[in-house]
Amino acid sequence: MRRRLLFAVGAAVALACAACDDDDGFKDGARGPCAAGGQLSGCPDGERTPEAACWRLVECGSLPAEAEDENANDWGRCVNRLESMIEDRATVVIACIAGATCDELLAPGSPHPYEDTFCWRYGEP
Amino acid sequence: MMRRPTYALGAAIAVAAVVAPRPVAAQEDPAALIALIEKQPADLDRAAWKERRREAARKLIATGDKRAVPVMIRLAEGESFDIIGEIAIEGLGKLGDASAIPALERVAADNSRDRAQRDLARKALAKLGGKAPAATPTPPPAPTPPPDRVAAPPPADDGGDRDAFDGSATAPDPGEASAPPASDTGGGGHGVFGGGGRDAAVVGQPTWDDDVLAARESLTFAVGAASFDWDTVRERTSFVLDADSHYARRLERETMAWGVTADLDTLVGVLNPAGDASSRLVAITAAVEGEARFYGGPGVYGVGQVAIAPQLHYLSSVGNDGMTNVKDTRFVADAGLALGGGYGRVLDVGPRLRVQRLAAVLEDARALGRPIDDGLARRLQSTWWALRRDRTGYRQLTATVAILREAGVLLGEPDAGTTYELLEVLRDASFDVRPSGLDVQILFGESYLVRNNEDGDGLPDVPDGRYEQVMVRARAARQLGLAADAQAWLDARYRLFTPEMTATPWRAAVGGRFRTFAHGEHGELLGAFDVGAEAIVSSDGDANGMDEPDDIDLGAALVGELGWTWTLNRASSVRLGGEVRLAAKEVFIGLALTGSYGFLDAGFARSAP
């Protein structure tokens, strides 16, 4: 019993280190349940919030969780952009991201995109 | 106000009459014996009182007093699960009063009663000169409620008064001896719930075969947004519609199982600000999935899955100069077939837990005449299934009470408190989707993906055409009593047979979740607290030189979440959830409020875990 507990704790710590170790430059994409393989893989809709929509983009490999370049798009900037949009535009962009397949959410240059994925273009001036 | 002391005195006399030894039964006071039969004295616990009232019934019969007849009729018809019922049936034959014939005929014809009771009724009828009817199922009258559950019993000395809910709590006067038994508690349909006949006959009940382990059907609509705004100041119009619908049906048999789900998501956005600018977006996504399993041994099965999911996006955006900036139409589609094998199954046992909770409510109210067996549980669930469109719970309540009374489970018409608690059980959404069991499967999947890979658009190429993968899934769920459950899962996939210079993505996730439901004092579902965690490792399989030099293709994340869900009705809820993610060296904390509205949810489970 103690061995099992130690193993479980060890595995959790190792995974936590892997998740937070930036020296190795761990990649952010391809993590989502439907990031590859289509509908058979199981592809549930995401929640309709700015945070959840941006996580979907990260897990699909569309943008990084945190970009080294201050001007590059990443999860935080994605959330900020959605929150600063007028409400009826943000609602549609978020829903578009939540419902699209991961393949459709890739943008030019993903996972370090230099352009936005198509959902962002709704309501662009 | 003056009745209570008199009644207490009567009860005390009755106790004394029974407790005190008497040499000859004929010397017993019939009124005192009747009082003891009808009302539990305060100084006796229930078990002792039940024993004493049986003895009192024997003695009352032995007196030969005519006042015993209506009492014995009520006991004969109402006490199906206590030996006092048989004492009464036999006693009616000894008392020799022909007014008991109709009641005895009903008992003799009631197939839901024990054969011994029916035989006793036939013998009693023979003594009275009546004719035993053929044994055909008839709705029997409801049992006599235990005196401690009836409303305001009248005193022993005014036998003419009867409470509207009860016909048994009064010691009748001799003038009533030949009156028919009170029908307002019985199957005559005069009670609050209309007795056991009419309301129990719900049309459209499914018939579950004996090998059906569980079934479920649900239809849910979720409207994320629906708005139309017209701003006259800025001359701006906007329209948003984001609506999802989900249908699921599943049937689990001993040797096979099948399930189908269908989803249709619609998103429409129109934005017309002042000037020439405008934007329109339409996204329609449909998905149909099916699964069939065939069990070949103890828990071992072969499985096939199909999935079809087309998706259409249309986006049009016109700039302020009136020139079209973007016009983008995309169509993607997935079609997949997976074959494999596995072990075990996870069943939704929620409907059966609801039956257990129902029995617990009746037991607490001391109104449970006998346990709810598998056959009755099956009948209740079939009725609930047929009434799954009933949003108020009224029809489910009336039908449930009628069935429980008809089966002799519910002793008498429930009082207001019990009725309320029964209704809360029927409305309780915590018994929807309560998985239990272990299921492990491995699948080989062949998909055909239609994607938009165009040269020169700058987009990374994604897998197009055939896509093979192996998938391993495991799920374990356990119910921790009636108000909590725990689940754990493992989900892994790996792409197979990739052409050279093509990515080989894989992903593995393991997680768990615990839920506990909070109820009010009378069984009202207040909400649910949930806490869960998931660990994910993945790779885009692109570590063959195509990545940037500083990229390693391994990703990992830890996700923890907790939430509180308010329940609006059986299929609708609002959840406030918090989430913590540890990914890419950062901690991310989020909070979300989500809601959904649904109807048509229903389920069936043959047995509880």
Side-chain angles (χ1 to χ4, degrees), chain B residues 236-299:
Chain B
R236 182 172 172 279
T237 307
S238 74
F239 173 75
V240 178
L241 174 64
D242 176 18
D244 298 349
S245 55
H246 174 79
Y247 175 77
R249 180 150 192 172
R250 187 164 186 90
L251 181 68
E252 296 273 355
R253 293 179 180 273
E254 288 176 352
T255 56
M256 73 88 65
W258 65 265
V260 61
T261 64
D263 292 88
L264 180 64
D265 302 348
T266 305
L267 172 65
V268 178
V270 177
L271 200 57
N272 274 335
D276 293 328
S278 69
S279 275
R280 290 173 178 78
L281 186 145
V282 177
I284 298 173
T285 304
V288 178
E289 295 179 65
E291 182 191 84
R293 298 180 177 196
F294 298 92
Y295 286 81

Side-chain angles (χ1 to χ4, degrees), chain B residues 333-370:
Chain B
D334 300 351
L337 171 68
L339 297 172
Y343 172 81
R345 68 169 102 211
V346 173
L347 300 177
D348 175 12
V349 297
R352 194 58 192 262
L353 294 179
R354 191 185 302 277
V355 174
Q356 286 187 358
R357 173 70 187 140
L358 208 62
V361 165
L362 295 179
E363 191 160 21
D364 288 347
R366 295 200 293 183
L368 183 68
R370 65 176 178 91

Side-chain angles (χ1 to χ4, degrees), chain B residues 310-497:
Chain B
Q311 188 174 75
L312 175 70
H313 277 99
Y314 168 77
L315 173 69
S316 167
S317 184
V318 178
N320 285 325
D321 57 0
M323 304 291 287
T324 299
N325 292 335
V326 178
K327 195 157 193 173
D328 191 352
T329 303
R330 297 160 177 245
F331 176 77
V332 299
D334 300 351
L337 171 68
L339 297 172
Y343 172 81
R345 68 169 102 211
V346 173
L347 300 177
D348 175 12
V349 297
R352 194 58 192 262
L353 294 179
R354 191 185 302 277
V355 174
Q356 286 187 358
R357 173 70 187 140
L358 208 62
V361 165
L362 295 179
E363 191 160 21
D364 288 347
R366 295 200 293 183
L368 183 68
R370 65 176 178 91
I372 298 177
D373 58 24
D374 286 349
L376 184 57
R378 181 181 291 262
R379 187 177 169 201
L380 285 169
Q381 293 178 73
S382 294
T383 302
W384 297 339
W385 183 292
L387 296 174
R388 62 195 184 280
R389 292 178 180 84
D390 174 22
R391 293 294 91 193
T392 65
Y394 171 79
R395 291 188 66 206
Q396 292 189 10
L397 176 68
T398 53
T400 299
V401 169
I403 290 168
L404 292 173
R405 290 183 60 184
E406 206 173 285
V409 169
L410 180 57
L411 296 177
E413 193 153 335
D415 60 14
T418 306
T419 303
Y420 175 79
E421 292 185 6
L422 291 175
L423 182 61
E424 287 305 311
V425 173
L426 297 174
R427 287 173 168 171
D428 195 333
S430 72
F431 297 119
D432 292 327
V433 190
R434 296 288 291 272
S436 177
L438 169 69
D439 186 25
V440 182
Q441 63 180 207
I442 181 167
L443 291 157
F444 170 78
E446 171 77 53
S447 297
Y448 191 84
L449 310 179
V450 177
R451 295 292 185 267
N452 299 296
N453 285 324
E454 294 178 13
D455 293 335
D457 60 1
L459 289 168
D461 280 353
V462 293
D464 197 0
R466 289 180 59 178
Y467 188 104
E468 293 85 14
Q469 61 183 328
V470 61
M471 297 169 285
V472 177
R473 293 168 183 157
R475 189 179 176 204
R478 185 169 184 184
Q479 295 303 314
L480 310 170
L482 291 175
D485 63 12
Q487 294 183 56
W489 62 85
L490 180 147
D491 180 36
R493 62 160 189 268
Y494 181 76
R495 186 177 182 186
L496 299 171
F497 313 136

Side-chain angles (χ1 to χ4, degrees), chain B residues 57-121:
Chain B
R58 290 191 185 96
K59 289 177 178 174
L60 182 61
I61 293 163
T63 64
D65 194 294
K66 289 292 183 188
R67 284 173 290 180
V69 175
V71 178
M72 292 304 135
I73 288 174
R74 285 196 294 274
L75 291 174
E77 293 201 280
E79 296 283 358
S80 324
F81 302 98
D82 191 304
I83 192 71
I84 199 171
E86 294 174 26
I87 294 169
I89 294 169
E90 201 169 13
L92 286 170
K94 292 177 182 172
L95 288 167
D97 191 316
S99 68
I101 289 176
L104 289 169
E105 286 176 344
R106 285 194 290 272
V107 172
D110 183 359
N111 281 340
S112 70
R113 301 185 69 130
D114 289 347
R115 179 183 295 274
Q117 292 176 357
R118 300 200 303 268
D119 289 345
L120 278 175

Side-chain angles (χ1 to χ4, degrees), chain B residues 465-548:
Chain B
R466 289 180 59 178
Y467 188 104
E468 293 85 14
Q469 61 183 328
V470 61
M471 297 169 285
V472 177
R473 293 168 183 157
R475 189 179 176 204
R478 185 169 184 184
Q479 295 303 314
L480 310 170
L482 291 175
D485 63 12
Q487 294 183 56
W489 62 85
L490 180 147
D491 180 36
R493 62 160 189 268
Y494 181 76
R495 186 177 182 186
L496 299 171
F497 313 136
T498 50
E500 200 172 337
M501 299 297 288
T502 305
T504 308
W506 59 266
R507 174 185 189 268
V510 59
R513 186 183 67 163
F514 169 78
R515 287 190 304 177
T516 181
F517 299 96
H519 290 84
E521 186 180 355
H522 301 291
E524 310 91 342
L525 177 63
L526 304 177
F529 171 76
D530 65 86
V531 57
E534 187 174 40
I536 309 155
V537 290
S538 65
S539 166
D540 63 0
D542 210 9
N544 52 10
M546 292 187 289
D547 276 338
E548 294 176 18

